[in-house]
Amino acid sequence: MATIIHTAESNFQPNLNKIDGFRLLTDTLRTNKGVNPQYLNFDVRKLMPGEFNAPYHYHRYADELFYIISGTAELRTCDGLSKVSVGDILFFEAGECGAHQLFNCGAEPCVYLDMRSYIGHDVCIYPDSNKLITIPEGEIFQLDNQCDYFEGETNPLQRRKADTYLKGKK
């Protein structure tokens, strides 16, 4: 089914659970029209002056692309800072090399199309705060708390015997 989303009907709303400095607005038309992409997620975003789109991050399992529709912004990547403006296409490959963050350093809103591949899950890494988030669950972890694969897996035979005993009691 084809769906047309007219920009004249845009309805930008604040993203829930955002804090000062990260008050990104998202156009709700896609959702309101029932568009639920399976492999290519997209949103039209509005970044107000003095705001960041998100903490500096990269995706492990998603490529992402921004197309600047109006306004200007400053893009942070692992290569440093760059100014971006109307008509620019910003591509972020999956992995550490694709780390990115937008900041609206201009006087006008920066509106952009945010497209990303989606395979049903993703993991975002936040280098500045040493966190990761699992998507779609939204579980957030500190990377400093990594553990060995077999941590807590000692005495598997004893655990098996206990499980067998419990099953016999039922």
Side-chain angles (χ1 to χ4, degrees), residues 84-96:
V84 296
S85 59
V86 176
D88 289 347
I89 297 172
L90 321 173
F91 174 71
F92 315 107
E93 64 188 61
E96 197 169 347

Side-chain angles (χ1 to χ4, degrees), residues 13-71:
Q13 296 296 317
N15 291 6
L16 300 177
N17 303 317
K18 297 293 181 176
I19 63 171
D20 287 343
F22 297 96
R23 302 247 184 237
L24 184 65
L25 304 173
T26 300
D27 186 357
T28 60
L29 279 179
R30 175 180 70 91
T31 310
N32 293 347
K33 289 188 176 242
V35 176
N36 189 19
Q38 187 172 358
Y39 301 112
L40 178 66
N41 231 335
F42 67 94
D43 290 291
V44 178
R45 313 274 194 182
K46 184 186 280 189
L47 189 59
M48 301 306 285
E51 298 285 334
F52 291 91
N53 71 322
Y56 183 65
H57 69 286
Y58 63 89
H59 302 261
R60 284 199 176 153
Y61 304 106
D63 293 324
E64 193 166 18
L65 184 140
F66 296 169
Y67 174 73
I68 308 297
I69 298 169
S70 66

Side-chain angles (χ1 to χ4, degrees), residues 23 30 46 48 76 90 105 108 117 133 135 155-156 164:
R23 302 247 184 237
R30 175 180 70 91
K46 184 186 280 189
M48 301 306 285
R76 176 183 173 199
L90 321 173
C105 56
E108 301 294 324
S117 58
I133 184 171
I135 298 169
N155 284 329
T164 303

Side-chain angles (χ1 to χ4, degrees), residues 4 8-9 14 28 52 55 58 70 72 86 91 99 106 112 119 121 124 152:
I4 298 173
E9 300 171 3
T28 60
F52 291 91
Y58 63 89
S70 66
T72 61
V86 176
F91 174 71
Y112 64 98
I119 58 173
H121 66 276
C124 285

